[in-house]
Amino acid sequence: MDGQTIEQDARSAEYLRQREIFERSMAELRTERRRREASGYAVMAAAYSLEGAARKDTWLGKIVTFAKYALITFVAVVPNLAMILMLAG
């Protein structure tokens, strides 16, 4: 064998090794993307399943309504209170 053939074999072996690493990495990325997408679907399915219960006159609906009003009150009162305390102090 001449030197050129040995060098070419090393190059093709390295090319095949790099190709295998690339394909494995791309498969892992696709798997991770699919897993993340599936978990997003699971969260949305859980949210949609709670929607009907939250709109009715059940304990869950009352909790959701109370939480909405508490959040609205918190968002409306805290900035005003902070401004008053800052200007008074």
Side-chain angles (χ1 to χ4, degrees):
M1 287 178 52
D2 58 354
Q4 189 176 18
T5 305
I6 293 173
E7 185 177 309
Q8 191 174 17
D9 287 342
R11 275 192 206 149
S12 41
E14 179 63 19
Y15 172 78
L16 292 174
R17 187 182 76 80
Q18 290 292 327
R19 181 79 178 176
E20 181 182 334
I21 291 171
F22 174 77
E23 288 175 3
R24 192 175 337 134
S25 299
M26 292 303 290
E28 288 175 11
L29 288 173
R30 282 191 296 270
T31 302
E32 178 64 25
R33 186 178 333 130
R34 199 174 312 122
R35 186 192 63 77
R36 208 174 309 136
E37 185 178 353
S39 66
Y41 285 134
V43 168
M44 290 307 295
Y48 280 132
S49 69
L50 291 176
E51 181 202 6
R55 292 181 181 259
K56 295 181 180 168
D57 194 25
T58 61
W59 63 271
L60 181 61
K62 291 176 184 176
I63 290 173
V64 168
T65 303
F66 175 75
K68 281 192 245 181
Y69 288 135
L71 183 63
I72 290 168
T73 303
F74 181 77
V75 169
V77 170
V78 169
N80 293 324
L81 186 61
M83 186 62 71
I84 290 169
L85 292 174
M86 186 179 76
L87 292 175

